Amino acid sequence: MRLFVSVDLPDDLAEPVADLQDEFSDASGLDVTDPEQAHVTLKFLGDVDGERVPDLESELEGAVADAGVDPFTVRYGGLGVFPSLEYISVVWFGTETGGDELTALHEAIEERTTEMGFEAESHEFTPHVTLARMEHAGGKELVQELVRERDPTIGETRVEAVRLTESTLTDEGPVYSTVARFPLDE
C-alpha cells in the first residue's frame, strides 16, 4: 500500500484551488493536481506492507495525541515553489494561519514513524498544498512572475482530524482513499 498522512481541504475549497490553478494555465510544462484531492501532506510513508498498517495506525493515534493539538482553523494562501524559483519542480500554496499546529502534528508523526523505521524527512517541513508539478521549464518565467506577484487567499477550514491515506496510481492520476482517521483532542 502506498501511504501518506494528511490534512485534507474540504470540498468547498476545491473551486478556489481550481481558480488559482487556472491562473497558471498558460504555463507550459505544468501538470496541475486534482483540486478535489487537495491536502497538506504531514508525512509521506511510501510503500507499506499491509501487515504493518495496524501498528502504524496505533503509532499515528499516539502521535496525534502527543502533538497536543486541539481542532484549529487553517487559512490557506500565498504561493511558493520547491526547491527554488530558479529550478521549479513543485508549485504550492501555503498557510496564513494554522501552520504552527500543522508543524506540531508533522513533528509528532515524524518522530513516531521514524522510530518504526520509516525514512526521516530530508528537508524542513513547510505546510503546503501542491498546486502543480513542473514537468519541463517551458512556462518557468510565467510561474516565476505569478509566484512573485500574486498573494492569493484560498480560504479557511477547521481541521478536526488527520487522515492515513492510500494513494493508488492510475493512468488518470492518483486516487486517494482513507485508511484511518485520527481525531484531534477536544
Side-chain angles (χ1 to χ4, degrees), residues 3-9 37-45 60 64 76 102 105 109 125 128 159-166 176-182 184:
L3 301 176
F4 62 91
V5 184
S6 64
V7 167
D8 300 329
L9 273 65
Q37 296 187 26
H39 63 274
V40 175
T41 300
L42 297 174
K43 174 72 178 173
F44 180 74
L45 298 165
L60 291 173
V64 169
Y76 293 100
L102 290 167
L105 287 164
I109 291 165
F125 178 70
H128 71 279
V159 175
E160 297 181 350
V162 169
R163 180 169 88 143
L164 177 60
T165 306
E166 181 176 11
Y176 300 147
S177 56
T178 301
V179 175
R181 289 181 81 249
F182 308 98
L184 301 181

Side-chain angles (χ1 to χ4, degrees), residues 132-185:
R133 289 180 175 78
M134 193 134 222
E135 303 298 328
H136 64 76
K140 176 177 154 182
E141 288 178 5
L142 176 58
V143 172
Q144 289 170 327
E145 179 182 327
L146 287 167
V147 169
R148 284 187 184 112
E149 294 179 7
R150 291 279 287 120
D151 187 19
T153 295
I154 308 304
E156 63 180 43
T157 187
R158 189 107 175 116
V159 175
E160 297 181 350
V162 169
R163 180 169 88 143
L164 177 60
T165 306
E166 181 176 11
S167 172
T168 304
L169 301 178
T170 71
D171 291 342
E172 289 81 44
V175 175
Y176 300 147
S177 56
T178 301
V179 175
R181 289 181 81 249
F182 308 98
L184 301 181
D185 295 334

Side-chain angles (χ1 to χ4, degrees), residues 23-44:
E23 294 186 37
F24 290 88
S25 61
D26 290 339
S28 72
L30 214 52
D31 184 19
V32 297
T33 58
D34 181 349
E36 309 255 331
Q37 296 187 26
H39 63 274
V40 175
T41 300
L42 297 174
K43 174 72 178 173
F44 180 74

Side-chain angles (χ1 to χ4, degrees), residues 2 5-6 17-18 21 25 31 42 47 50 57 80 101-103 110 113 118-119 130 132 141 164 167 177 179 185-186:
R2 183 178 164 88
V5 184
S6 64
V17 170
Q21 288 174 324
S25 61
D31 184 19
L42 297 174
D47 292 325
E57 288 179 15
E101 291 88 344
L102 290 167
T103 300
E110 178 75 3
T113 56
F118 289 96
E119 198 168 313
T130 299
E141 288 178 5
L164 177 60
S167 172
S177 56
V179 175
D185 295 334
E186 285 288 350

Side-chain angles (χ1 to χ4, degrees), residues 4-121:
F4 62 91
V5 184
S6 64
V7 167
D8 300 329
L9 273 65
D11 293 342
D12 65 341
L13 291 185
E15 189 173 332
V17 170
D19 291 345
L20 181 57
Q21 288 174 324
D22 285 346
E23 294 186 37
F24 290 88
S25 61
D26 290 339
S28 72
L30 214 52
D31 184 19
V32 297
T33 58
D34 181 349
E36 309 255 331
Q37 296 187 26
H39 63 274
V40 175
T41 300
L42 297 174
K43 174 72 178 173
F44 180 74
L45 298 165
D47 292 325
V48 179
D49 187 323
E51 291 179 9
R52 293 188 72 192
V53 171
D55 288 341
L56 177 60
E57 288 179 15
S58 175
E59 289 299 319
L60 291 173
E61 187 174 4
V64 169
D66 291 349
V69 173
D70 293 330
F72 62 100
T73 299
V74 176
R75 186 167 55 245
Y76 293 100
L79 286 172
V81 297
F82 292 134
S84 70
L85 274 173
E86 281 310 304
Y87 179 79
I88 300 167
S89 63
V90 172
V91 180
W92 51 266
F93 62 87
T95 59
E96 295 173 358
T97 64
D100 291 345
E101 291 88 344
L102 290 167
T103 300
L105 287 164
H106 159 76
E107 287 171 353
I109 291 165
E110 178 75 3
E111 183 175 335
R112 291 274 189 134
T113 56
T114 53
E115 285 173 5
M116 289 183 74
F118 289 96
E119 198 168 313
E121 292 292 332

